[in-house]
Amino acid sequence: MVNGNIISKVDAIIHPLKLNHEDYLKDGHLLNNELNRGLKSTKDSSVKMYLTYVRSLPNQKERGVYLALDLGGTNIRVVLIEFLPNKINVIDQQCHEIPATLFFSSGSQLFDFIAENVIQFAIKNKLAGVRVALGFTFSFPSVQHGLAEATLVAWTKNFMCPGVVGYDVVQLLKQSLKRKMDRSIPYIDVVAIINDTTGTLIYGSLKDSNCKIGLIVGTGSNCCYVEQLQNIDKWPYNYSEPNQVIINCECGAFGDNGVLDCLATSWDRTIDYESLNITKQIHEKIIAGMYLPELLRRIMLTLVEKGLLFNGLAPIELFVPYSIKTKFMSLIDLDDGRKDLTNTKEALKKIFKYFKCNETDLRIIFSINNTITRRSAYFVATALWTLAKRIDQVNVSVAYDGSLICKHPHYKRWVKEKVNEFAQNEGIEKVIGFVEAPDGSIYGAAIVAAICYREKRPKFIKKNGKVYEITRF
Ligand code: ADP
Ligand code: MG
């Protein structure tokens, strides 16, 4: 039996998480102001709108074999990809969870670990004696001054490694590769650095030429889009063709100047205060997979303290910060639109070793979980709609990647529904398409490397008196 009295008390407590359409309109309006500010000056805006220097999108003429490396918030991935006419062939790929000790170790330890991974992978794939170009996906806020140059501005997500902020991460990677390529095996040429949103957009644009927006919702969250040069006050070069560039919005930082405080809850504020990057990445902390389960945990604790959940007795795991895995939120949301809550029960059994819960507890946990995940999807939809309106074409597609948006059973649908609601309410003629770009963050890096080599690929290199063969074509 569900206790209606308790349910209505809980509903009142979690009410601030249920924003209405007006709130999302306000969010979109505020974001648009920040985007404009960022295009004028990086210094004066919380949403940095970094120039990526990626101006050409793929033209299907990319050929050859390339390495790509992706350092995300949770995983490190390496792939070897071959571009064939009308086909991309993944020769081999490897994905490891980043060992937690590395989040706090020195920058050189981190990059040595990455270099070791890449070299072992290259050796395994018989790339000894071969010059191979590598595209590096590095998904942390960085200022670029060229395609293979990126200075880390601040760590986000789980990372805190000293000795990297303020340095060019391509140089750090090259130094580590050099240290490891002693008796030298493959010659790995780091030709481009991009972030995951850019990679996703590039990969998506191979599938759908209307792709003008890239979206990531994984450990972190961020967007990029294709902007016309004449709209970018801070563009430092000529207005030559191609008359466009991908802008990495770094919109996870939206709200860092306090503009989102009116829409955030006290739980959002606590997550921020107790995070590694206080007052930073406010938008990301409302949206991303790293923070959603922590929000769920904190709300559950509040309800336990008020005697409204688990009869006031918290299971021990509820006291451990970041103890809940995001995949269990996906499992709980499988019960969306269903009467019985068997998946919610299943998830709770996995989260808590010893726990007793009744039907009311299950309803409450399902409801909180669903509310915060929908809120995340609606914030994402608002950001996408705000970006889509800036693009001067009716059909605009969004390429997306990241485990939360790809693996959650309803997240994409919620994003699409909210975007459609905006389009209908505002009467703007726009059709937003969605293109799943699984592992686009890493394939995109290989594509950018291929675009680089398409334009200026060396034929042979001479090293230590030996002539090395170029990438196999
Ligand atoms: P990265 O952020 O390292 O690039 P991913 O895009 O794979 O990697 O995102 C990993 C994050 O996605 C995890 O830390 C977790 O927050 C979330 N996640 C992983 N699996 C799931 C799932 N099944 N459902 C929802 N979210 C998930
Ligand atoms: Mg990623």
Side-chain angles (χ1 to χ4, degrees), residues 392-425:
D392 187 21
Q393 58 186 56
V394 175
N395 290 298
V396 178
S397 297
V398 177
Y400 63 89
D401 189 19
S403 285
L404 176 53
I405 189 164
C406 292
K407 291 184 182 163
H408 184 283
H410 307 297
Y411 197 94
K412 298 175 272 292
R413 177 166 59 82
W414 295 338
V415 172
K416 285 180 196 171
E417 283 170 1
K418 193 71 183 170
V419 167
N420 289 340
E421 191 182 341
F422 276 115
Q424 272 165 16
N425 280 6

Side-chain angles (χ1 to χ4, degrees), residues 289-314:
M290 173 173 168
Y291 302 101
L292 291 191
E294 185 58 5
L295 202 53
L296 173 66
R297 186 186 74 83
R298 284 173 183 279
I299 300 168
M300 285 201 273
L301 262 184
T302 304
L303 298 179
V304 169
E305 280 162 14
K306 291 184 187 296
L308 296 169
L309 188 66
F310 300 140
N311 272 323
L313 293 170

Side-chain angles (χ1 to χ4, degrees), residues 140-156:
F140 302 89
S142 312
V143 183
Q144 289 196 242
H145 300 290
L147 199 52
E149 227 187 290
T151 304
L152 177 66
V153 176
W155 281 120
T156 58

Side-chain angles (χ1 to χ4, degrees), residues 70 72 77 196 441:
D70 178 4
R77 296 180 168 91
D196 49 5
S441 48

